């Protein structure tokens, strides 16, 4: 018989909904999981939102105070999908209360925040998973294996791109995302954190970097009501955007490889243009999130004029077989969160980490901290504090 695990979701914006849907679907795709998530409670301070979530998804109870979740003996595991500035406080409290946590990146506003949550998880002896979902794409996992096998030779350089237009409209509401105190480093924490994690996942540790940042839309209108996602607020009182719209960065890896990481949240004409190009001494591999289930692969002995082939991932790649029976059947974004839910639940059941961990979040956050230091100093800096 499958054991039930009482789970809670703290913060029910879009990502809270995605986590909840992942819990609801996970046993459909992984019927052999030893744990069955049971939706115990949802915490959301916006009036009415928790009640709506309970009515739609079947949470047994609701609250507007996440502290009640920490004290609830019915809850063994918590998804933390609240805004970034709350990650550290909630994460430390939940771990201290003996709850396993599945927390969204970037795990706070700084590397110190991520490290505090990681230390709390380690001290409490609970499991901690982090929402670096793009590494869960079967094509990304296949690319990692291809790189590690030496099929493209020694990696020489990589380009990571994360371009989006979610903040490109001048009427986008001035939410917490654009405040330094609550949203941290803007596009660095939002998108570049994924790029830093993917780069390390594929190529190993980043040791030093130099970065440049910019704010392209310096003012936005303050919202007059509760917001979710990327709402607009035309006509509201204008306020300053305090954190970054754009970051461009040169990377050096411990392996000797070089890299470029570029991220922007105000790229008109770009919708979720996320991907990478990894070049080696004998070939290359390319991935575009918008064609999530494909890889461009070049390998052989031609070197010059060597062709690129399109490879469709299939049941032998990553977790693809849990979703589709044959190559070229599409997986989507929400499927990556189901994979994450599965790995989190396996971690809890087995007491051994599966998937991205809090230590991975510390490494990513240390890269973001280094980007901020470099942008201020206009110099190369070392990536520090990942131990």
């Amino acid at each position: 018989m499958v054991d039930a695990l009482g789970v809670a979701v703290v913060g029910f914006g879009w990502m809270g909904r995605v986590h909840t849907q992942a819990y609801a679907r996970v046993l459909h795709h992984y019927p052999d999981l030893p744990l069955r998530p049971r939706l115990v409670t949802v915490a959301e301070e916006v009036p009415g939102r928790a009640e709506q979530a309970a009515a739609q998804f079947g949470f047994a109870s609701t609250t507007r105070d996440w502290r009640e979740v920490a004290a609830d003996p019915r809850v063994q595991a918590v998804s933390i999908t609240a805004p970034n500035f709350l990650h550290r406080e909630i994460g430390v409290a939940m771990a201290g209360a003996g709850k396993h946590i599945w927390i969204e990146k970037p795990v706070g506003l700084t590397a110190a925040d991520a490290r505090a949550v990681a230390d709390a998880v380690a001290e409490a002896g609970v499991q901690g998973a982090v929402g670096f979902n793009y590494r869960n794409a079967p094509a990304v996992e296949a690319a990692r294996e291809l790189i590690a096998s030496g099929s493209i030779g020694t990696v020489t350089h990589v380009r990571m791109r994360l371009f989006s237009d979610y903040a490109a409209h001048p009427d986008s509401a001035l939410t917490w995302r654009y405040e330094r105190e609550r949203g941290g480093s803007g596009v660095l924490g939002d998108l570049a954190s994924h790029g830093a994690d993917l780069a390390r996942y594929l190529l190993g540790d980043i040791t030093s970097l130099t970065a440049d940042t910019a704010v392209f839309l310096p003012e936005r209108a303050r919202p007059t009501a509760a917001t979710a996602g990327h709402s607009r607020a035309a006509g509201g009182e204008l306020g300053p955007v305090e954190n970054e719209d754009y970051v461009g960065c040169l990377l050096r890896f411990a392996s000797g490889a070089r890299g470029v990481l570029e991220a922007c949240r105000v790229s008109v004409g770009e919708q979720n243009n996320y991907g990478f190009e990894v070049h080696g001494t004998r070939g290359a591999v390319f991935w575009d999130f918008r064609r999530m289930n494909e890889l461009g692969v070049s390998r052989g002995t031609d070197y010059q004029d060597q062709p690129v082939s399109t490879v469709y991932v299939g049941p032998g790649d990553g977790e693809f077989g849990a979703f589709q029976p044959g190559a070229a059947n599409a997986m989507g974004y929400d499927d990556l969160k189901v994979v994450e839910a599965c790995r989190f639940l396996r971690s809890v059941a087995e007491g051994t980490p599966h998937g991205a961990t809090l230590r991975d979040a510390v490494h990513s956050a240390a890269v973001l901290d280094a980007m901020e230091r470099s942008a201020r100093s206009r110099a190369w800096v070392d990536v520090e504090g990942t131990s």
Side-chain angles (χ1 to χ4, degrees):
M1 183 176 178
V2 178
D3 292 332
L5 182 78
V7 301
V9 175
V10 175
F12 207 81
W14 170 62
M15 190 51 66
R17 180 180 298 271
V18 172
H19 276 232
T20 302
Q21 291 170 167
Y23 286 129
R25 292 178 53 199
V26 68
L27 285 178
H28 299 169
H29 298 279
Y30 299 96
D32 295 330
L33 268 178
L35 290 175
R36 173 176 56 84
R38 179 169 57 88
L39 300 178
V40 172
T41 190
V42 54
E44 171 56 63
E45 65 178 13
V46 176
R49 191 177 286 174
E51 290 75 15
Q52 182 181 12
Q56 182 174 359
F57 294 104
F59 287 96
S61 62
T62 67
T63 179
R64 292 182 64 181
D65 186 352
W66 62 262
R67 294 168 184 82
E68 293 183 5
V69 176
D72 192 333
R74 300 173 299 166
V75 175
Q76 289 90 48
V78 181
S79 278
I80 301 172
T81 54
N84 299 353
F85 68 96
L86 295 171
H87 286 182
R88 177 173 181 165
E89 182 181 9
I90 297 175
V92 169
M94 294 300 175
K99 319 293 188 188
H100 306 284
I101 64 172
W102 175 14
I103 185 169
E104 274 305 311
K105 56 82 208 169
V107 190
L109 304 180
T110 64
D113 286 350
R115 193 174 300 107
V117 179
D119 289 346
V121 164
E123 183 176 348
V126 296
Q127 294 298 312
V130 180
F132 287 127
N133 45 273
Y134 298 110
R135 62 156 64 189
N136 299 329
V140 172
E141 296 192 272
R144 185 175 190 244
E145 291 182 6
L146 187 150
I147 293 165
S149 73
S151 290
I152 64 169
T154 301
V155 172
T156 54
H157 61 284
V158 60
R159 184 165 77 102
M160 313 293 303
R161 69 182 188 283
L162 300 106
F163 299 142
S164 185
D165 65 356
Y166 69 77
H169 202 289
D171 291 338
S172 295
L174 187 69
T175 64
W176 61 269
R177 293 180 183 277
Y178 304 102
E179 299 174 4
R180 179 70 59 181
E181 185 175 350
R182 297 195 296 166
S185 54
V187 76
L188 277 70
D190 192 16
L191 296 182
S193 58
H194 281 298
D197 179 68
L198 276 177
R200 177 172 172 264
Y201 181 68
L202 293 170
L203 304 183
D205 286 346
I206 298 167
T207 57
S208 61
L209 58 83
T210 184
D212 185 32
T213 62
V215 178
F216 296 133
L217 293 177
E219 290 185 320
R220 297 179 186 271
R222 300 184 187 280
T224 57
T227 61
H230 306 293
S231 304
R232 296 181 187 174
E237 178 188 357
L238 293 179
V241 172
E242 299 174 349
N243 54 27
E244 295 82 357
D245 288 331
Y246 169 88
V247 60
C249 189
L250 300 179
L251 309 171
R252 291 174 179 163
F253 293 83
S255 66
R258 298 298 195 261
V260 176
L261 190 159
E262 194 175 14
C264 186
R265 65 188 180 187
V266 297
S267 298
V268 175
E270 301 281 12
Q271 295 86 39
N272 299 325
N273 182 359
Y274 311 149
F276 56 74
E277 300 138 29
V278 181
H279 294 268
T281 53
R282 293 201 306 273
V285 59
F286 311 92
W287 181 70
D288 186 328
F289 169 65
R290 298 165 302 177
R291 304 174 70 93
M292 192 176 83
N293 304 290
E294 301 176 16
L295 281 178
V297 179
S298 178
R299 52 185 169 178
T301 57
D302 292 341
Y303 300 99
Q304 186 177 2
D305 299 326
Q306 183 164 285
V308 177
S309 300
T310 298
V311 177
Y312 298 101
V313 293
D317 299 306
E319 300 292 333
F320 188 92
F323 296 86
Q324 299 294 349
N329 287 292
M331 287 177 63
Y333 176 91
D334 284 11
D335 295 333
L336 302 184
K337 303 307 279 191
V338 176
V339 173
E340 229 168 68
C342 169
R343 291 175 175 172
F344 174 49
L345 295 171
R346 286 198 190 283
S347 299
V348 173
E350 299 173 10
T352 302
H354 293 274
T357 68
L358 269 299
R359 291 301 169 192
D360 293 316
V362 172
H363 279 273
S364 175
V367 172
L368 304 185
D369 281 6
M371 288 180 185
E372 289 197 86
R373 294 199 313 274
S374 175
R376 289 194 301 268
S377 67
R378 300 184 180 183
W380 281 89
V381 300
D382 292 333
V383 176
E384 302 172 348
T386 58
S387 60

